[in-house]
Short mmCIF file of all heavy atoms in Angstrom, two decimals:
data_model
loop_
_atom_site.label_atom_id
_atom_site.label_comp_id
_atom_site.label_asym_id
_atom_site.label_seq_id
_atom_site.Cartn_x
_atom_site.Cartn_y
_atom_site.Cartn_z
N SER A 124 0.84 -1.19 0.00
CA SER A 124 0.00 0.00 0.00
C SER A 124 0.88 1.25 0.00
O SER A 124 2.09 1.17 0.18
CB SER A 124 -0.92 0.02 1.22
OG SER A 124 -0.16 0.24 2.39
N ASP A 125 0.23 2.39 -0.16
CA ASP A 125 0.95 3.65 0.02
C ASP A 125 0.96 3.98 1.51
O ASP A 125 0.59 3.15 2.34
CB ASP A 125 0.32 4.76 -0.82
CG ASP A 125 -1.14 5.02 -0.47
OD1 ASP A 125 -1.54 4.78 0.69
OD2 ASP A 125 -1.88 5.49 -1.35
N ASN A 126 1.39 5.19 1.87
CA ASN A 126 1.47 5.54 3.29
C ASN A 126 0.38 6.50 3.74
O ASN A 126 0.47 7.08 4.82
CB ASN A 126 2.85 6.11 3.63
CG ASN A 126 3.10 7.46 3.01
OD1 ASN A 126 2.33 7.94 2.17
ND2 ASN A 126 4.19 8.09 3.39
N VAL A 127 -0.67 6.64 2.95
CA VAL A 127 -1.77 7.51 3.32
C VAL A 127 -2.67 6.78 4.31
O VAL A 127 -3.10 5.65 4.06
CB VAL A 127 -2.58 7.95 2.07
CG1 VAL A 127 -3.80 8.76 2.48
CG2 VAL A 127 -1.70 8.74 1.12
N GLY A 128 -2.93 7.40 5.45
CA GLY A 128 -3.73 6.75 6.50
C GLY A 128 -2.84 6.10 7.53
O GLY A 128 -1.61 6.18 7.47
N GLY A 129 -3.45 5.45 8.47
CA GLY A 129 -2.70 4.81 9.55
C GLY A 129 -1.95 3.57 9.11
O GLY A 129 -2.36 2.87 8.17
N PHE A 130 -0.87 3.29 9.79
CA PHE A 130 -0.03 2.14 9.46
C PHE A 130 -0.81 0.84 9.54
O PHE A 130 -0.78 0.03 8.61
CB PHE A 130 1.20 2.10 10.39
CG PHE A 130 2.11 0.95 10.09
CD1 PHE A 130 3.05 1.04 9.07
CD2 PHE A 130 2.04 -0.22 10.81
CE1 PHE A 130 3.88 -0.02 8.77
CE2 PHE A 130 2.88 -1.29 10.53
CZ PHE A 130 3.80 -1.19 9.51
N ASP A 131 -1.49 0.61 10.66
CA ASP A 131 -2.24 -0.64 10.82
C ASP A 131 -3.31 -0.81 9.76
O ASP A 131 -3.53 -1.91 9.24
CB ASP A 131 -2.88 -0.71 12.21
CG ASP A 131 -1.84 -0.86 13.32
OD1 ASP A 131 -0.70 -1.27 13.03
OD2 ASP A 131 -2.18 -0.57 14.48
N HIS A 132 -3.97 0.28 9.40
CA HIS A 132 -4.99 0.24 8.35
C HIS A 132 -4.36 -0.18 7.03
O HIS A 132 -4.91 -1.01 6.30
CB HIS A 132 -5.66 1.61 8.20
CG HIS A 132 -6.54 1.72 7.00
ND1 HIS A 132 -7.79 1.13 6.95
CD2 HIS A 132 -6.33 2.30 5.79
CE1 HIS A 132 -8.32 1.37 5.75
NE2 HIS A 132 -7.46 2.08 5.05
N ASN A 133 -3.20 0.37 6.71
CA ASN A 133 -2.54 0.05 5.45
C ASN A 133 -2.03 -1.39 5.41
O ASN A 133 -2.06 -2.04 4.36
CB ASN A 133 -1.41 1.03 5.16
CG ASN A 133 -1.92 2.34 4.65
OD1 ASN A 133 -2.86 2.38 3.86
ND2 ASN A 133 -1.33 3.43 5.09
N VAL A 134 -1.57 -1.90 6.54
CA VAL A 134 -1.15 -3.30 6.58
C VAL A 134 -2.34 -4.20 6.33
O VAL A 134 -2.27 -5.15 5.53
CB VAL A 134 -0.45 -3.63 7.92
CG1 VAL A 134 -0.25 -5.14 8.06
CG2 VAL A 134 0.88 -2.90 8.03
N LYS A 135 -3.47 -3.91 6.98
CA LYS A 135 -4.68 -4.71 6.79
C LYS A 135 -5.18 -4.61 5.34
O LYS A 135 -5.57 -5.61 4.74
CB LYS A 135 -5.78 -4.26 7.77
CG LYS A 135 -7.01 -5.11 7.71
CD LYS A 135 -6.74 -6.54 8.15
CE LYS A 135 -8.01 -7.35 8.16
NZ LYS A 135 -7.76 -8.77 8.24
N LEU A 136 -5.16 -3.41 4.78
CA LEU A 136 -5.58 -3.21 3.40
C LEU A 136 -4.71 -4.02 2.45
O LEU A 136 -5.22 -4.71 1.56
CB LEU A 136 -5.49 -1.71 3.05
CG LEU A 136 -5.84 -1.31 1.64
CD1 LEU A 136 -7.32 -1.53 1.38
CD2 LEU A 136 -5.50 0.17 1.44
N SER A 137 -3.41 -4.00 2.66
CA SER A 137 -2.51 -4.75 1.78
C SER A 137 -2.69 -6.26 1.97
O SER A 137 -2.59 -7.03 1.01
CB SER A 137 -1.06 -4.34 2.02
OG SER A 137 -0.62 -4.69 3.32
N GLU A 138 -2.97 -6.68 3.18
CA GLU A 138 -3.23 -8.09 3.44
C GLU A 138 -4.51 -8.54 2.74
O GLU A 138 -4.55 -9.61 2.12
CB GLU A 138 -3.35 -8.33 4.94
CG GLU A 138 -3.47 -9.78 5.32
CD GLU A 138 -3.46 -9.95 6.82
OE1 GLU A 138 -2.37 -9.81 7.42
OE2 GLU A 138 -4.53 -10.23 7.39
N ASN A 139 -5.53 -7.72 2.82
CA ASN A 139 -6.79 -8.04 2.12
C ASN A 139 -6.59 -8.11 0.62
O ASN A 139 -7.17 -8.98 -0.05
CB ASN A 139 -7.87 -7.01 2.45
CG ASN A 139 -8.35 -7.09 3.88
OD1 ASN A 139 -8.11 -8.07 4.57
ND2 ASN A 139 -9.01 -6.04 4.34
N ARG A 140 -5.78 -7.23 0.10
CA ARG A 140 -5.47 -7.21 -1.34
C ARG A 140 -4.80 -8.53 -1.74
O ARG A 140 -5.18 -9.17 -2.73
CB ARG A 140 -4.56 -6.01 -1.60
CG ARG A 140 -4.31 -5.66 -3.02
CD ARG A 140 -3.52 -4.35 -3.12
NE ARG A 140 -4.44 -3.22 -2.94
CZ ARG A 140 -4.13 -2.08 -2.34
NH1 ARG A 140 -2.91 -1.88 -1.85
NH2 ARG A 140 -5.00 -1.12 -2.24
N ALA A 141 -3.80 -8.95 -0.97
CA ALA A 141 -3.08 -10.19 -1.28
C ALA A 141 -3.98 -11.41 -1.09
O ALA A 141 -3.95 -12.34 -1.90
CB ALA A 141 -1.85 -10.30 -0.39
N GLN A 142 -4.80 -11.40 -0.06
CA GLN A 142 -5.70 -12.52 0.20
C GLN A 142 -6.72 -12.68 -0.92
O GLN A 142 -7.04 -13.81 -1.31
CB GLN A 142 -6.40 -12.32 1.54
CG GLN A 142 -7.27 -13.50 1.92
CD GLN A 142 -7.94 -13.30 3.27
OE1 GLN A 142 -8.02 -12.20 3.79
NE2 GLN A 142 -8.43 -14.38 3.84
N ALA A 143 -7.21 -11.59 -1.46
CA ALA A 143 -8.17 -11.67 -2.56
C ALA A 143 -7.55 -12.33 -3.78
O ALA A 143 -8.19 -13.15 -4.46
CB ALA A 143 -8.69 -10.28 -2.91
N VAL A 144 -6.30 -12.01 -4.06
CA VAL A 144 -5.61 -12.64 -5.19
C VAL A 144 -5.41 -14.13 -4.91
O VAL A 144 -5.65 -14.97 -5.78
CB VAL A 144 -4.27 -11.94 -5.47
CG1 VAL A 144 -3.46 -12.71 -6.50
CG2 VAL A 144 -4.51 -10.51 -5.94
N ARG A 145 -5.00 -14.46 -3.70
CA ARG A 145 -4.82 -15.87 -3.34
C ARG A 145 -6.12 -16.65 -3.52
O ARG A 145 -6.12 -17.74 -4.09
CB ARG A 145 -4.35 -16.00 -1.90
CG ARG A 145 -4.18 -17.46 -1.48
CD ARG A 145 -3.93 -17.58 0.02
NE ARG A 145 -3.64 -18.96 0.39
CZ ARG A 145 -4.56 -19.86 0.73
NH1 ARG A 145 -5.84 -19.54 0.75
NH2 ARG A 145 -4.20 -21.09 1.05
N GLU A 146 -7.21 -16.10 -3.02
CA GLU A 146 -8.50 -16.78 -3.14
C GLU A 146 -8.86 -17.03 -4.60
O GLU A 146 -9.35 -18.10 -4.95
CB GLU A 146 -9.59 -15.97 -2.44
CG GLU A 146 -9.48 -16.02 -0.93
CD GLU A 146 -10.48 -15.12 -0.23
OE1 GLU A 146 -11.35 -14.52 -0.89
OE2 GLU A 146 -10.37 -15.01 1.01
N TYR A 147 -8.61 -16.06 -5.46
CA TYR A 147 -8.91 -16.22 -6.88
C TYR A 147 -8.06 -17.35 -7.48
O TYR A 147 -8.57 -18.21 -8.20
CB TYR A 147 -8.69 -14.92 -7.64
CG TYR A 147 -9.01 -15.05 -9.10
CD1 TYR A 147 -10.33 -14.99 -9.54
CD2 TYR A 147 -8.01 -15.25 -10.04
CE1 TYR A 147 -10.64 -15.13 -10.89
CE2 TYR A 147 -8.31 -15.40 -11.38
CZ TYR A 147 -9.63 -15.34 -11.80
OH TYR A 147 -9.93 -15.49 -13.13
N VAL A 148 -6.77 -17.34 -7.17
CA VAL A 148 -5.86 -18.35 -7.71
C VAL A 148 -6.29 -19.74 -7.25
O VAL A 148 -6.33 -20.68 -8.04
CB VAL A 148 -4.40 -18.03 -7.30
CG1 VAL A 148 -3.47 -19.18 -7.61
CG2 VAL A 148 -3.93 -16.75 -7.98
N VAL A 149 -6.64 -19.87 -5.99
CA VAL A 149 -7.08 -21.17 -5.46
C VAL A 149 -8.40 -21.59 -6.10
O VAL A 149 -8.59 -22.77 -6.44
CB VAL A 149 -7.17 -21.12 -3.91
CG1 VAL A 149 -7.85 -22.35 -3.35
CG2 VAL A 149 -5.77 -20.95 -3.31
N GLN A 150 -9.32 -20.66 -6.30
CA GLN A 150 -10.60 -20.97 -6.95
C GLN A 150 -10.40 -21.48 -8.38
O GLN A 150 -11.24 -22.20 -8.90
CB GLN A 150 -11.51 -19.75 -6.97
CG GLN A 150 -12.09 -19.40 -5.63
CD GLN A 150 -12.83 -18.07 -5.65
OE1 GLN A 150 -12.85 -17.36 -6.65
NE2 GLN A 150 -13.44 -17.74 -4.53
N GLN A 151 -9.28 -21.11 -8.99
CA GLN A 151 -9.01 -21.54 -10.36
C GLN A 151 -8.27 -22.87 -10.42
O GLN A 151 -7.81 -23.29 -11.47
CB GLN A 151 -8.21 -20.45 -11.10
CG GLN A 151 -8.91 -19.12 -11.17
CD GLN A 151 -10.32 -19.22 -11.73
OE1 GLN A 151 -10.52 -19.77 -12.82
NE2 GLN A 151 -11.28 -18.71 -11.01
N GLY A 152 -8.14 -23.55 -9.26
CA GLY A 152 -7.62 -24.90 -9.27
C GLY A 152 -6.21 -25.09 -8.77
O GLY A 152 -5.67 -26.20 -8.82
N VAL A 153 -5.57 -24.04 -8.28
CA VAL A 153 -4.23 -24.17 -7.72
C VAL A 153 -4.37 -24.56 -6.25
O VAL A 153 -5.16 -23.95 -5.51
CB VAL A 153 -3.43 -22.86 -7.88
CG1 VAL A 153 -2.05 -22.99 -7.22
CG2 VAL A 153 -3.29 -22.48 -9.35
N ALA A 154 -3.62 -25.55 -5.80
CA ALA A 154 -3.72 -26.03 -4.43
C ALA A 154 -3.39 -24.91 -3.44
O ALA A 154 -2.38 -24.22 -3.58
CB ALA A 154 -2.77 -27.20 -4.20
N ALA A 155 -4.24 -24.75 -2.44
CA ALA A 155 -4.05 -23.71 -1.44
C ALA A 155 -2.72 -23.85 -0.71
O ALA A 155 -2.12 -22.86 -0.29
CB ALA A 155 -5.21 -23.75 -0.44
N SER A 156 -2.23 -25.07 -0.58
CA SER A 156 -0.97 -25.31 0.12
C SER A 156 0.24 -24.75 -0.63
O SER A 156 1.33 -24.68 -0.07
CB SER A 156 -0.77 -26.81 0.34
OG SER A 156 -0.71 -27.48 -0.90
N ARG A 157 0.04 -24.32 -1.86
CA ARG A 157 1.12 -23.77 -2.67
C ARG A 157 1.10 -22.25 -2.74
O ARG A 157 2.00 -21.64 -3.32
CB ARG A 157 1.02 -24.31 -4.11
CG ARG A 157 1.15 -25.80 -4.20
CD ARG A 157 0.90 -26.29 -5.61
NE ARG A 157 1.74 -25.61 -6.57
CZ ARG A 157 1.42 -25.44 -7.85
NH1 ARG A 157 0.29 -25.91 -8.32
NH2 ARG A 157 2.24 -24.83 -8.66
N VAL A 158 0.08 -21.64 -2.15
CA VAL A 158 -0.11 -20.20 -2.32
C VAL A 158 -0.24 -19.53 -0.95
O VAL A 158 -1.26 -19.68 -0.27
CB VAL A 158 -1.35 -19.89 -3.19
CG1 VAL A 158 -1.44 -18.41 -3.46
CG2 VAL A 158 -1.32 -20.68 -4.49
N PHE A 159 0.78 -18.80 -0.56
CA PHE A 159 0.77 -18.05 0.69
C PHE A 159 0.53 -16.58 0.38
O PHE A 159 0.70 -16.15 -0.75
CB PHE A 159 2.11 -18.23 1.42
CG PHE A 159 2.36 -19.65 1.83
CD1 PHE A 159 2.98 -20.53 0.95
CD2 PHE A 159 1.96 -20.11 3.06
CE1 PHE A 159 3.21 -21.85 1.31
CE2 PHE A 159 2.18 -21.43 3.44
CZ PHE A 159 2.80 -22.30 2.56
N TYR A 160 0.17 -15.81 1.39
CA TYR A 160 0.00 -14.37 1.17
C TYR A 160 0.43 -13.60 2.40
O TYR A 160 0.44 -14.13 3.51
CB TYR A 160 -1.44 -14.04 0.79
CG TYR A 160 -2.43 -14.15 1.93
CD1 TYR A 160 -2.76 -13.04 2.69
CD2 TYR A 160 -3.02 -15.36 2.24
CE1 TYR A 160 -3.67 -13.14 3.73
CE2 TYR A 160 -3.91 -15.48 3.29
CZ TYR A 160 -4.24 -14.36 4.03
OH TYR A 160 -5.13 -14.45 5.06
N LYS A 161 0.81 -12.36 2.17
CA LYS A 161 1.21 -11.48 3.27
C LYS A 161 1.00 -10.04 2.86
O LYS A 161 1.27 -9.66 1.72
CB LYS A 161 2.68 -11.71 3.63
CG LYS A 161 3.13 -10.88 4.81
CD LYS A 161 4.53 -11.21 5.24
CE LYS A 161 4.91 -10.33 6.43
NZ LYS A 161 6.26 -10.62 6.90
N GLY A 162 0.53 -9.25 3.81
CA GLY A 162 0.39 -7.81 3.59
C GLY A 162 1.56 -7.07 4.19
O GLY A 162 1.87 -7.22 5.37
N TYR A 163 2.24 -6.28 3.36
CA TYR A 163 3.41 -5.53 3.80
C TYR A 163 3.11 -4.06 4.08
O TYR A 163 3.99 -3.32 4.51
CB TYR A 163 4.52 -5.64 2.76
CG TYR A 163 5.15 -7.01 2.73
CD1 TYR A 163 4.61 -8.03 1.95
CD2 TYR A 163 6.27 -7.30 3.49
CE1 TYR A 163 5.18 -9.30 1.94
CE2 TYR A 163 6.84 -8.56 3.48
CZ TYR A 163 6.29 -9.55 2.70
OH TYR A 163 6.86 -10.81 2.69
N GLY A 164 1.88 -3.65 3.83
CA GLY A 164 1.52 -2.25 4.06
C GLY A 164 2.44 -1.32 3.29
O GLY A 164 2.82 -1.60 2.16
N PRO A 165 2.84 -0.21 3.91
CA PRO A 165 3.67 0.77 3.22
C PRO A 165 5.18 0.54 3.41
O PRO A 165 5.98 1.42 3.10
CB PRO A 165 3.25 2.08 3.89
CG PRO A 165 2.96 1.68 5.29
CD PRO A 165 2.33 0.30 5.18
N THR A 166 5.59 -0.63 3.90
CA THR A 166 6.98 -0.84 4.29
C THR A 166 7.95 -1.09 3.14
O THR A 166 9.16 -1.02 3.34
CB THR A 166 7.11 -2.00 5.29
OG1 THR A 166 6.68 -3.21 4.66
CG2 THR A 166 6.28 -1.74 6.55
N VAL A 167 7.43 -1.41 1.94
CA VAL A 167 8.31 -1.71 0.80
C VAL A 167 7.88 -0.88 -0.42
O VAL A 167 7.41 -1.42 -1.42
CB VAL A 167 8.29 -3.22 0.47
CG1 VAL A 167 9.37 -3.56 -0.55
CG2 VAL A 167 8.47 -4.07 1.72
#
């Protein structure tokens, strides 16, 4: 995420963003055990 807003909010937002992509990939037939996700917020 960018750095607009609170740090915790941005970490959660970035985590939700990554989780949504993971869910889509898994729904398309990729094993969930192969797809991890993490929200980095504005740290990178």
Side-chain angles (χ1 to χ4, degrees):
S124 70
D125 60 28
N126 68 350
V127 175
F130 181 82
D131 291 341
H132 170 76
N133 282 321
V134 169
K135 185 64 177 165
L136 178 67
S137 65
E138 186 175 286
N139 290 345
R140 191 173 280 146
Q142 184 179 17
V144 172
R145 179 189 186 270
E146 287 175 6
Y147 181 80
V148 169
V149 170
Q150 288 172 355
Q151 301 307 307
V153 177
S156 62
R157 298 174 54 207
V158 186
F159 297 87
Y160 72 94
K161 183 174 180 179
Y163 288 86
T166 63
V167 189

